Amino acid sequence: MKPNKRLSTDIIPFVDLKRQYENHKAEIDEAIGRTISNTDFVGGSQVTEFEQSFAKLLDVNFCVSVGNGTDAIYIALKMLGIGVGDEVITVANSWIASSETITQTGAKVVFADIEPEQYTIDPVDVEAKISPKTKAVVVVHLHGNVADMDALTSICRSRGLYLIEDCAQAHLSEYKGKCVGTFGDAGTFSFYPSKNLGAYGHAGAVVTNNSDLAQRIRTYSNHGALNKYDHVVEGINSRLDSIQAAVLNVKIKYIEHWNEQRRKIAKRYSGLLSKVNQIQLPVERTDCKHTYHLYVIRCLERREELRSYLEDRGIQTALHYPTILPLLPAYGYLNYCGTDFPIAFEYQHQILSLPMFPEMRDDEVISVSEAIVDFYDSTRS
Ligand SMILES: *Cc1c(COP(=O)(O)O)cnc(C)c1O
């Protein structure tokens, strides 16, 4: 074995939110302080300002903020009329929010496999899973990469299905020049702290070009009332806190820059790792813009060994996700097995998410990449 090149004992974190805060501390602290001084806590001018800026940035007519990205999906589905007796198709590899929200409406979740290069929902398998009960498809733009929107919009249009885009990992990712979240009936976003645009607690939003849907979402998420005490239906309590909106109003100014930084880091990784035959690098869809919420490689050999090798060198990695959704205990009742989703199931054992955040330094990207090169060099059989 070659000696370990990296002698530093510094940890390379998977994500470091502190660096971003330190870079913008004065501005963020001022915004939070001002919101508290104004005793604005839920709703108010900060929230309206954020909704307007986010809609403008995405070039969409309406943005309705909600409590978090999970509620955003649930409320969008519910307000599109999805419920008991319906089926909704979503992707086998995602965060459970993409599927649990379908079940919460009373509908049945049906999983589809992923595309081999992009790791996003496979339109061919979506088509195969459509039944007379299918009402909607929840597409997930996983890792910041975009799903095949031409194929998916055409399937949904021709079959009369609602199309919801879960964009929790894809703020300002683009498909052929247009932001994701604006293709279907509704786009849902999470502003969880570690997302590309993150608040300092829970926050989410639904975007849509449909004014009637926007109004229903706003009403439902506010106890069924657009105006205080005027409850036209029973709803839920899922609103954006003013302090979170104040943080987001500061951070929204930098999201495009941060996404560019992520893209630069991704390009650097891909350059440094291009000669490692044992791994598959992320593939950006043609004419699209990946925003690298995650930089996910696929280890064709010895992923677990590589993971511990990196960990021993202070390099943190993660798995997105260790178990595909249909195989989680939560979905045991659907009786799926791995071979039902051949690609997602194979990849579950290969994927590895490398450290990725806009403030990551070049020497850190180099150290991570060199460690991977060294691992496969030194263990070559
Ligand atoms: C983070 C995430 C969500 C949920 O967002 P929360 O704000 O944590 O509720 C939904 N879908 C995907 C793909 C996510 O990564």
Side-chain angles (χ1 to χ4, degrees), residues 24 52 100 119 122 238 261 300 310 321:
H24 300 281
Q52 288 170 354
E100 67 186 352
Y119 314 159
D122 179 3
S238 184
Q261 291 302 114
L300 308 178
L310 296 175
Y321 293 90

Side-chain angles (χ1 to χ4, degrees), residues 224-242:
L226 268 188
N227 303 306
K228 204 166 191 179
Y229 305 126
D230 186 14
H231 305 278
V232 292
V233 288
E234 285 181 319
I236 61 170
N237 176 10
S238 184
R239 300 173 294 198
L240 185 58
D241 288 355
S242 315

Side-chain angles (χ1 to χ4, degrees), residues 68-70 94-95 97-98 140 166 168-169 190 192 195 321:
N68 57 70
T70 307
S94 184
W95 174 238
S98 311
V140 184
D166 177 352
Q169 301 188 2
S190 165
Y192 186 78
K195 307 284 175 163
Y321 293 90

Side-chain angles (χ1 to χ4, degrees), residues 67-73 91 93-101 138-143 166-171 188-195 201-205 293-294 320-321:
N68 57 70
T70 307
D71 283 357
I73 308 169
V91 66
N93 183 30
S94 184
W95 174 238
I96 194 167
S98 311
S99 54
E100 67 186 352
T101 48
V138 175
V139 166
V140 184
H141 301 292
L142 201 71
H143 308 157
D166 177 352
C167 308
Q169 301 188 2
H171 309 75
T188 64
F189 287 85
S190 165
F191 308 108
Y192 186 78
S194 58
K195 307 284 175 163
H202 288 292
H293 173 59
L294 297 166
H320 298 91
Y321 293 90

Side-chain angles (χ1 to χ4, degrees), residues 260-284:
E260 281 316 310
Q261 291 302 114
R262 288 175 184 272
R263 288 174 56 77
K264 275 188 199 156
I265 293 165
K267 206 169 167 191
R268 193 84 171 107
Y269 266 136
S270 295
L272 293 162
L273 295 170
S274 65
K275 296 208 172 61
V276 185
N277 296 325
Q278 296 90 338
I279 62 175
Q280 175 65 54
L281 303 174
V283 180
E284 194 162 332

Side-chain angles (χ1 to χ4, degrees), residues 40-340:
D40 259 349
F41 296 109
V42 180
S45 62
Q46 291 284 349
V47 169
T48 309
E49 182 186 328
F50 175 69
E51 289 178 341
Q52 288 170 354
S53 319
F54 195 62
K56 193 162 167 227
L57 200 56
L58 293 176
D59 196 19
V60 67
N61 291 343
F62 306 97
C63 168
V64 182
S65 58
V66 295
N68 57 70
T70 307
D71 283 357
I73 308 169
Y74 166 71
I75 297 168
L77 287 166
K78 181 101 180 158
M79 292 304 102
L80 285 167
I82 307 297
V84 177
D86 299 334
E87 290 181 3
V88 178
I89 301 171
T90 194
V91 66
N93 183 30
S94 184
W95 174 238
I96 194 167
S98 311
S99 54
E100 67 186 352
T101 48
I102 294 170
T103 313
Q104 277 160 20
T105 66
K108 181 184 173 197
V109 55
V110 174
F111 292 104
D113 205 353
I114 59 172
E115 286 190 81
E117 282 204 336
Q118 320 290 349
Y119 314 159
T120 49
I121 194 165
D122 179 3
V124 176
D125 203 33
V126 168
E127 217 151 15
K129 300 282 165 70
I130 294 173
S131 86
K133 291 181 176 173
T134 310
K135 286 283 161 56
V137 180
V138 175
V139 166
V140 184
H141 301 292
L142 201 71
H143 308 157
N145 207 358
V146 298
D148 182 352
M149 295 316 292
D150 279 344
L152 291 159
T153 46
S154 118
I155 291 170
C156 289
R157 261 188 217 133
S158 67
R159 305 294 200 112
L161 307 177
Y162 291 120
L163 173 59
I164 295 99
E165 295 172 82
D166 177 352
C167 308
Q169 301 188 2
H171 309 75
L172 299 183
S173 290
E174 290 174 14
Y175 181 87
K176 300 188 178 172
K178 198 172 146 184
C179 283
V180 297
T182 63
F183 286 82
D185 297 282
T188 64
F189 287 85
S190 165
F191 308 108
Y192 186 78
S194 58
K195 307 284 175 163
N196 285 23
L197 179 58
Y200 284 174
H202 288 292
V206 184
V207 301
T208 179
N209 283 314
N210 178 335
S211 69
D212 178 55
L213 180 63
Q215 175 126 333
R216 271 183 284 144
I217 290 170
R218 195 177 288 290
T219 306
Y220 186 72
S221 59
N222 189 39
H223 297 287
L226 268 188
N227 303 306
K228 204 166 191 179
Y229 305 126
D230 186 14
H231 305 278
V232 292
V233 288
E234 285 181 319
I236 61 170
N237 176 10
S238 184
R239 300 173 294 198
L240 185 58
D241 288 355
S242 315
I243 291 174
Q244 301 309 337
V247 171
L248 290 168
N249 281 328
V250 172
K251 292 179 76 174
I252 197 170
K253 295 185 281 182
Y254 305 104
I255 177 64
E256 281 161 302
H257 168 67
W258 290 330
N259 278 347
E260 281 316 310
Q261 291 302 114
R262 288 175 184 272
R263 288 174 56 77
K264 275 188 199 156
I265 293 165
K267 206 169 167 191
R268 193 84 171 107
Y269 266 136
S270 295
L272 293 162
L273 295 170
S274 65
K275 296 208 172 61
V276 185
N277 296 325
Q278 296 90 338
I279 62 175
Q280 175 65 54
L281 303 174
V283 180
E284 194 162 332
R285 197 182 290 280
T286 318
D287 298 330
C288 294
K289 189 166 169 187
H290 191 321
T291 51
Y292 295 98
H293 173 59
L294 297 166
Y295 186 90
V296 180
I297 60 168
R298 217 149 40 76
C299 307
L300 308 178
E301 296 172 18
R302 300 195 297 279
R303 179 189 66 183
E304 294 312 313
E305 276 173 73
L306 172 62
R307 227 190 151 191
S308 29
Y309 182 93
L310 296 175
E311 196 183 320
D312 291 346
R313 281 150 188 81
I315 298 167
Q316 297 177 352
T317 60
L319 304 180
H320 298 91
Y321 293 90
T323 307
I324 58 171
L325 295 170
L327 300 188
L328 286 170
Y331 293 107
Y333 70 95
L334 292 173
N335 292 311
Y336 280 121
C337 62
T339 48
D340 293 330

